[in-house]
Amino acid sequence: MQGKGRAVCLPADIDTDIIIAGRYLRTKDRSIWAEHVFEDLDPSLGKNLKGAVIVAGKNFGCGSSREQAAIALKEAGVIAVVAPSFARIFFRNAINIGLPLIEADVTCTNGRQIAFDLSAGWIDTGTGKRKVARLSLHMLAILRAGGLVAYWKVKQ
Amino acid sequence: MGTLSERILGAPAGAYVDRAVNRAFVHDGTGVLTLESYRQMGAKGLFDPSRIHVIFDHIVPANNSTTATLHHELREFAVGSFLNFSDIGGGICHQCMSEGLVLPGEVVVGADSHSCTLGAFGAFATGVGATDMAAIWLTGETWFRVPETIGIRLSGRLSGAAEAKDIALSVVGRLGMDGATYKALEFIGDGTATLSMDDRLTICNLAVETGAKTGMFYADRITLSYLAGYGLTAEEQTSERPVYEQEIEIELDDIPPVVAIPPRVDSIRAVHDLTGLALDQVFVGTCTNGRYSDLSRFARIVRGKKVAIRTIIVPASRSVLAEAIRTGVLADLVAAGCTIGTPGCGPCLGAHMGVLGEGEVCLSTANRNFRNRMGVGGEIYIGSVATAAASALEGEITEPEAPDAG
Ligand code: SF4
């Protein structure tokens, strides 16, 4: 599973409240989450996420279990998120909705091209391929299917 | 010689396992998405309706017609599918589950991050997302990575005005917001015997603020007698003296009343250092500190006096409210000028009923003080019930006095 995109740098400990605020959760309209993603951090950021690979500091996605946070990123066009560590519920949610995550500590330059291969387990931030921990086969299977919903549809 | 997590999940730390769950619960917030994912998966039948709980707590009663419509759809499904359904006013999911629905040694999953609260019973209890939960509705099982465990050894007993919340915040301060990511916390040591079930629920509640998968206490006599109050029997769990990945010592006698300073729940300071900081609102409640013992402690401090600023009190469940009515605690709170909300999450998540305005400061007994969580531009200091009560009377952050000194 390969992908590439343009780096958008974010700090450590990005919580799910800041990804999508509680006041926007009461809806099933996914475009609303994409529209208001990161609104309380930087209102202009959301428009900049199409084709982006977010490169963040540790503990990305901490706090609330709201799956809307992962969905908001995906709907806004984020290709993948790279961080040294993720909060565990966010981790599960992202895989379940088909948003690739890469556990890696890389230096980030805004706008620089980032390429990755999840199955092979590497990331390239412009300085050559670098090995990263591979996702479990189960998680790769879910991602490949496009998320847990699609995965179960097939499995049944 | 495993940790509690290893024993319950039946595999060593690091292993990936598929496990059946004993209880699965969602609330009105995560339930809507769960139902949607479940339907998209084909909705071919629920694994066991008697083990699935749908508990309305996040925005209750509905704040507008959009929420009401979402509630309506989920309510129809829950009732129509014979799930255990708790409608508005029943209480916060974690509290409802703690009232006789979770036993030691069980595997419990909730579509809410604070599901770790129920680890207080010696259960493996953890939060999952909505789509994960949809698959659990379908199959009754899910995958776990068996966590490494950090042992938190509590010794001595609390002194002065400090309470369980101060222990919980101190642990978060020690470990940091990601100090236990992917791991479990196990609370051990002679200090655990001094802590009531309510105390343990408060402490386990904040486990997720360190990134932990769950926080657990071994079921002991205190657990068993609490469960006996609900007509349940269980067995004590004894430690097999496992080897912990890391062990932390906490001397309970040394813990002072503390607060977490916005916007991080791991920036912990003694209340003493912040004395005099002006407040606009005090909020007492949530899955952390909305139990009967919390309300009654608050009432004891404000009884016969008047709060100086707006003070919102939200019982964690209908049984908490009923008990507060029965014992007169509720009357004391109202007489002191407090505002009482519907059992549920109240303003904790910033959706309604007590949202902060730009520049306003709240002292809350909840568990999160992220930027804008309770309203855009508002700031949240997190503290104990006693600190909240002392501060409500003064309108500024105030150190609580030790109960019945002498
Ligand atoms: S009380 Fe607050 S922290 Fe607890 S479940 Fe409700 S919203 Fe979440």
Side-chain angles (χ1 to χ4, degrees):
Chain A
M1 283 194 74
Q2 298 199 348
K4 57 175 184 295
R6 169 180 47 77
V8 169
C9 312
L10 290 175
D13 297 317
I14 291 286
D15 61 77
T16 53
D17 271 73
I18 211 87
I19 299 175
I20 184 73
R23 59 187 180 279
Y24 298 121
L25 297 182
R26 266 4 92 163
T27 176
K28 288 203 277 184
D29 180 352
R30 293 168 182 240
S31 67
I32 290 185
W33 304 328
E35 189 185 326
H36 296 285
V37 68
F38 288 125
E39 185 175 281
D40 291 348
L41 184 69
D42 171 1
S44 68
L45 190 56
K47 286 168 204 68
N48 193 24
L49 293 179
K50 194 137 207 69
V53 171
I54 290 179
V55 180
K58 67 181 172 61
N59 201 26
F60 188 90
C62 61
S64 158
S65 68
R66 60 190 66 163
E67 195 165 293
Q68 289 93 336
I71 298 173
L73 297 177
K74 194 176 177 202
E75 291 287 316
V78 172
I79 305 285
V81 186
V82 184
S85 63
F86 294 91
R88 58 165 287 277
I89 301 179
F90 180 84
F91 195 101
R92 293 181 77 117
N93 286 346
I95 304 293
N96 286 344
I97 61 122
L99 174 68
L101 300 183
I102 300 153
E103 260 186 325
D105 194 354
V106 298
T107 41
C108 183
T109 314
N110 270 312
R112 183 176 285 181
Q113 184 84 3
I114 294 189
F116 59 86
D117 187 324
L118 293 170
S119 346
W122 57 258
I123 181 169
D124 185 351
T125 57
T127 52
K129 284 182 193 173
R130 204 186 114 169
K131 265 177 95 122
V132 292
R134 274 201 292 174
L135 294 172
S136 76
L137 292 176
H138 184 60
M139 283 184 239
L140 278 174
I142 295 172
L143 271 182
R144 231 178 250 125
L148 195 59
V149 166
Y151 175 84
W152 269 108
K153 255 201 221 146
V154 176
K155 224 179 148 172
Q156 284 178 88
Chain B
M1 296 216 289
T3 62
L4 267 181
S5 305
E6 290 172 327
R7 282 155 64 180
I8 296 172
L9 295 176
Y16 285 87
V17 296
D18 287 316
R19 285 291 170 266
V21 305
N22 296 89
R23 300 268 170 198
F25 62 96
V26 300
H27 53 65
D28 52 325
T30 51
V32 170
L33 260 184
T34 303
L35 178 55
E36 205 184 33
S37 291
Y38 171 71
R39 286 191 168 139
Q40 286 168 356
M41 286 172 182
K44 300 239 172 77
L46 297 153
F47 82 100
D48 178 359
S50 74
R51 293 176 187 271
I52 303 176
H53 298 253
V54 176
I55 301 167
F56 280 16
D57 58 5
H58 268 53
I59 307 192
V60 295
N63 60 339
N64 59 32
S65 46
T66 313
T67 307
T69 306
L70 294 172
H71 276 184
H72 178 73
E73 189 187 346
L74 184 56
R75 183 186 287 112
E76 295 274 285
F77 173 79
V79 174
S81 309
F82 305 103
L83 306 184
N84 301 290
F85 177 59
S86 169
D87 210 331
I88 64 159
I92 305 170
C93 54
H94 313 298
Q95 177 62 21
C96 294
M97 296 304 292
S98 78
E99 295 175 357
L101 290 169
V102 171
L103 289 171
E106 290 187 337
V107 176
V108 178
V109 288
D112 187 273
S113 59
H114 289 103
S115 305
C116 54
T117 309
L118 300 158
F121 292 101
F124 185 83
T126 192
V128 296
T131 300
D132 256 336
M133 185 55 84
I136 293 168
W137 279 8
L138 209 57
T139 65
E141 59 175 60
T142 191
W143 64 272
F144 298 102
R145 182 184 170 278
V146 182
E148 285 79 25
T149 296
I150 299 178
I152 311 232
R153 189 170 295 280
L154 309 176
S155 55
R157 61 166 58 237
L158 287 168
S159 64
E163 56 187 67
K165 181 62 163 292
D166 299 302
I167 304 176
L169 289 171
S170 301
V171 169
V172 176
R174 282 277 286 274
L175 285 168
M177 269 168 66
D178 67 338
T181 299
Y182 309 141
K183 297 175 188 160
L185 306 182
E186 221 168 83
F187 295 93
I188 47 171
D190 61 357
T192 57
T194 68
L195 301 169
S196 69
M197 259 339 281
D198 284 7
D199 292 339
R200 297 174 190 192
L201 288 160
T202 299
I203 292 169
C204 291
N205 179 267
L206 268 88
V208 70
E209 308 314 329
T210 67
K213 194 169 281 191
T214 189
M216 302 168 94
F217 278 82
Y218 285 80
D220 61 5
R221 256 188 261 163
I222 293 167
T223 322
L224 267 44
S225 82
Y226 176 99
L227 291 171
Y230 292 96
L232 299 170
T233 49
E235 281 182 21
E236 286 188 39
Q237 294 163 321
T238 44
S239 169
E240 294 174 356
R241 305 203 169 277
V243 181
Y244 294 111
E245 190 203 67
Q246 181 189 348
E247 214 172 298
I248 288 179
E249 307 266 340
I250 295 201
E251 188 66 56
L252 298 185
D253 306 72
D254 293 347
I255 291 181
V258 292
V259 285
I261 299 172
R264 294 184 66 101
V265 64
D266 62 354
S267 60
I268 305 296
R269 291 269 291 280
V271 175
H272 183 77
D273 297 345
L274 292 164
T275 303
L277 191 134
L279 298 171
D280 299 286
Q281 175 171 305
V282 166
F283 167 44
V284 177
T286 78
C287 53
T288 318
N289 274 129
R291 301 186 182 84
Y292 173 73
S293 57
D294 298 316
L295 268 52
S296 115
R297 206 157 59 252
F298 190 95
R300 203 162 56 222
I301 297 169
V302 302
R303 187 173 296 143
K305 302 181 180 144
K306 287 269 185 257
V307 294
I309 45 173
R310 62 177 203 262
T311 299
I312 300 171
I313 306 216
V314 181
S317 72
R318 179 174 283 125
S319 357
V320 169
L321 176 60
E323 183 68 0
I325 291 171
R326 195 183 65 78
T327 59
V329 157
L330 197 73
D332 290 337
L333 294 174
V334 172
C338 303
T339 300
I340 312 296
T342 309
C345 302
C348 179
L349 69 158
H352 70 155
M353 297 210 197
V355 171
L356 299 177
E358 181 85 43
E360 286 197 315
V361 182
C362 178
L363 183 83
S364 160
T365 65
N367 42 38
R368 285 192 177 136
N369 56 358
F370 299 144
R371 190 136 71 104
N372 297 346
R373 177 164 168 100
M374 277 178 74
V376 179
E379 291 203 317
I380 311 163
Y381 287 77
I382 304 277
S384 75
V385 171
T387 301
S391 304
L393 290 174
E394 299 299 330
E396 55 187 39
I397 291 189
T398 306
E399 238 186 314
E401 283 171 25
D404 321 310

